[in-house]
């Protein structure tokens, strides 16, 4: 029987009397004894679909999925490593697809985090404190040009260590405004200076340059930049301008920005897990498993992590306590057992590889989060 055949009820429109000799979907020749089309796996039935048939199939599919879900959960939580062994050995019909299962869990978890978090208060805080930022147009800060910016900023940072919070903010604001004023005194010269740098520093400096123009010269669109300043109409400049606008919006609405980050985190998981699976493959290169087997192993273990985090979330919400650390420790123990059972190596080798892989996982996760934050800030 093919793995992707739908679950059917052996009654109703699937009785023998309703079977045909040609598939209604792909026109493949069928025998009356065929329950499914061997070509496309559609159930063999010529009876017109009624409302009763529709609900019968719907609930039969739900029951079938619930059964596979329960078997997946029990195998995943109670027998570390076994579900992956079964799945790559071909026993797949009784388990849910590991990719879809992990994707569903990550979406559910981060959706719960997003709905439960009061991120709007950070937007309100920024809006309520905007008045404390010096307004150059009103002449609050007077600037003399030609000094060494880096040295002055370092001296300012040293001088504010003993000041109050408001005094520190005023000093730093003045320094940032001074940098803006240096740019606005000769924007064309600043742009030409930036253009002489090599690729990556040039892009980030252009982003800062355009951010200054947006804030200080009320620039709204890239076309305004082109008409007012001698800036090349290039893809690099357009991307730097969009990055500047996104950064300003992100800093002005940190709560909304963080909410947007949470909505993208599920997809981040599927960005670095395939990379992480490469390291598992390298560590266990002498084993009989191929890259896809290691990737499925990663999917199953990450699914268990999100199951524990969801359980932790509900416990914390109900009893007003913090249990995430406890469940992370449980996952760490589970992962070690899963590695030992799935790959079948001794204690010493498993401990060394467990430590190495967890270090790699942490580094990849941090890099992915940093890339996500920077990319989201530039495109927000």
């Amino acid at each position: 029987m093919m793995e992707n055949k739908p679950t059917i009820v052996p009654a109703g429109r699937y009785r023998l009397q309703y079977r045909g000799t040609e598939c209604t979907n792909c026109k493949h020749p069928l025998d009356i004894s065929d329950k499914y089309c061997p070509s496309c796996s559609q159930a063999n039935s010529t009876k017109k679909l009624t409302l009763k048939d529709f609900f019968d199939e719907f609930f039969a599919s739900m029951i079938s999925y619930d059964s596979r879900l329960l078997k997946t959960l029990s195998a995943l939580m109670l027998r570390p490593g076994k579900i992956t062994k079964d799945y790559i050995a071909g026993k797949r019909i009784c388990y849910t697809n590991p990719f879809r299962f992990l994707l569903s869990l990550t979406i559910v978890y981060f959706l719960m985090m997003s709905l439960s978090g009061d991120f709007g208060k950070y937007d309100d805080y920024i809006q309520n404190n905007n008045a404390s930022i010096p307004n150059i147009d009103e002449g609050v800060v007077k600037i003399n040009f030609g000094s060494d910016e880096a040295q002055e900023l370092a001296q300012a940072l040293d001088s504010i260590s003993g000041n109050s919070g408001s005094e520190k903010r005023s000093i730093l604001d003045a320094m940032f405004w001074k940098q803006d004023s240096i740019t606005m005194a000769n924007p064309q010269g600043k742009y030409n200076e930036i253009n002489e740098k090599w690729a990556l520093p040039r892009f980030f400096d252009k982003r800062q340059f355009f951010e200054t123009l947006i804030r200080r010269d009320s620039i709204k669109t890239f076309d305004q930049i082109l008409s007012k300043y001698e800036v090349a109409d290039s893809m690099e400049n357009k991307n730097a301008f969009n990055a500047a606008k996104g950064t300003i919006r992100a800093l002005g609405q940190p709560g909304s920005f963080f909410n947007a980050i949470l909505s993208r985190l599920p997809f981040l998981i599927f960005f670095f897990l395939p990379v992480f699976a490469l390291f598992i493959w390298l560590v266990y290169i002498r084993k009989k498993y191929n890259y896809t087997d290691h990737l499925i192993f990663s999917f199953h273990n990450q699914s268990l992590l999100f199951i524990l985090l969801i359980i932790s979330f509900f416990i914390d919400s109900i009893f007003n306590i913090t249990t995430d650390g406890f469940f992370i420790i449980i996952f760490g123990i589970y992962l070690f057992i899963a590695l030992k059972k799935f790959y079948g190596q001794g204690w010493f080798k498993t401990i060394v590889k467990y430590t190495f892989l967890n270090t790699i996982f942490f580094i990849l996760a941090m890099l992915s989060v940093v890339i996500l934050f920077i990319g989201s800030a530039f495109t927000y």
Side-chain angles (χ1 to χ4, degrees):
M1 229 180 236
M2 298 180 67
E3 179 191 346
N4 60 346
K5 287 178 180 176
T7 301
I8 65 170
V9 239
R13 73 189 194 97
Y14 296 107
R15 291 176 183 167
L16 187 62
Q17 67 191 81
Y18 297 123
R19 292 180 190 170
T21 56
E22 182 182 74
C23 177
T24 56
N25 180 53
C26 67
K27 307 303 179 183
H28 186 84
L30 299 175
D31 190 84
I32 294 297
S33 62
D34 290 331
K35 293 182 179 179
Y36 300 94
C37 170
S39 176
C40 68
S41 298
Q42 176 164 290
N44 182 11
S45 176
T46 58
K47 182 177 182 293
K48 190 174 179 64
L49 185 68
T50 64
L51 195 59
K52 181 181 181 301
D53 295 328
F54 176 80
F55 282 109
D56 284 344
E57 289 182 31
F58 173 77
F59 286 113
S61 299
M62 289 291 291
I63 292 170
S64 172
Y65 181 79
D66 288 346
S67 174
R68 284 184 285 124
L69 179 62
L70 290 175
K71 288 180 180 178
T72 301
L73 288 173
S74 63
L76 196 59
M77 299 180 73
L78 302 178
R79 290 170 289 179
K82 185 180 185 304
I83 185 174
T84 308
K85 277 190 173 183
D86 287 348
Y87 200 87
I88 64 177
K91 301 176 183 177
R92 299 169 189 157
I93 194 66
C94 56
Y95 298 120
T96 58
N97 180 282
F99 178 85
R100 288 199 299 265
F101 187 53
L102 176 57
L103 181 61
S104 301
L105 288 170
T106 53
I107 290 175
V108 168
Y109 176 71
F110 288 116
L111 182 62
M112 286 164 39
M113 291 289 292
S114 177
L115 294 176
S116 64
D118 184 16
F119 302 118
K121 63 184 179 183
Y122 300 111
D123 293 349
D124 296 337
Y125 175 81
I126 293 296
Q127 292 173 3
N128 294 335
N129 286 273
N130 273 344
S132 64
I133 299 176
N135 188 340
I136 291 297
D137 295 332
E138 295 177 4
V140 176
V141 181
K142 302 296 183 183
I143 299 299
N144 295 318
F145 303 103
S147 60
D148 187 340
E149 298 170 52
Q151 184 179 352
E152 283 200 39
L153 182 57
Q155 291 174 351
L157 291 173
D158 291 337
S159 68
I160 64 176
S161 58
N163 295 67
S164 65
S166 59
E167 290 172 333
K168 291 177 182 178
R169 180 185 176 112
S170 297
I171 293 172
L172 288 175
D173 283 343
M175 290 304 301
F176 291 131
W177 281 117
K178 180 170 183 176
Q179 292 176 359
D180 288 356
S181 299
I182 293 172
T183 299
M184 295 306 298
N186 184 14
Q188 195 59 53
K190 184 69 174 177
Y191 175 78
N192 293 337
E193 176 188 334
I194 293 172
N195 249 351
E196 295 176 358
K197 299 182 179 180
W198 67 280
L200 198 57
R202 183 176 67 236
F203 177 83
F204 283 100
D205 284 354
K206 282 185 177 181
R207 186 209 62 80
Q208 181 63 47
F209 173 75
F210 289 134
E211 183 179 331
T212 300
L213 296 184
I214 291 170
R215 287 190 286 104
R216 294 290 305 276
D217 203 14
S218 302
I219 297 294
K220 302 295 183 185
T221 65
F222 186 68
D223 288 337
Q224 289 179 291
I225 293 279
L226 295 177
S227 62
K228 194 167 185 178
Y229 301 96
E230 294 181 16
V231 173
D233 186 7
S234 65
M235 185 60 67
E236 178 184 323
N237 286 338
K238 288 179 181 178
N239 290 334
F241 178 79
N242 291 331
K245 288 186 68 175
T247 303
I248 291 173
R249 281 195 293 266
L251 293 174
Q253 300 174 322
S256 302
F257 173 68
F258 191 69
N259 222 348
I261 289 287
L262 281 179
S263 67
R264 296 173 183 175
L265 280 175
F267 306 100
L268 178 68
I269 301 294
F270 296 96
F271 167 76
F272 81 85
L273 272 186
V275 180
F276 178 63
L278 281 174
F279 286 92
I280 302 179
W281 174 71
L282 289 172
V283 168
Y284 290 100
I285 197 168
R286 294 184 179 180
K287 288 293 180 180
K288 60 183 178 180
Y289 303 118
N290 60 26
Y291 170 78
T292 305
D293 297 335
H294 299 303
L295 184 60
I296 292 171
F297 178 75
S298 299
F299 283 164
H300 281 144
N301 287 303
Q302 287 303 302
S303 296
L304 190 277
L305 173 61
F306 280 102
I307 289 171
L308 294 177
L309 289 175
I310 290 171
I311 294 172
S312 172
F313 177 86
F314 281 117
I315 292 176
D316 293 351
S317 301
I318 294 171
F319 299 103
N320 197 25
I321 57 176
T322 303
T323 60
D324 50 350
F326 171 73
F327 282 101
I328 291 295
I329 292 173
I330 290 179
F331 174 72
I333 297 171
Y334 175 95
L335 182 58
F336 178 82
I337 297 172
L339 278 172
K340 191 174 186 309
K341 287 190 173 183
F342 182 70
Y343 293 105
Q345 292 190 326
W347 287 93
F348 178 75
K349 284 187 176 180
T350 303
I351 289 172
V352 172
K353 293 180 178 181
Y354 171 84
T355 305
F356 173 75
L357 288 174
N358 273 287
T359 303
I360 293 296
F361 182 88
F362 179 78
I363 293 171
L364 287 175
M366 290 300 101
L367 283 175
S368 300
V369 170
V370 169
I371 292 171
L372 177 64
F373 265 87
I374 294 175
S376 297
F378 281 8
T379 58
Y380 184 59

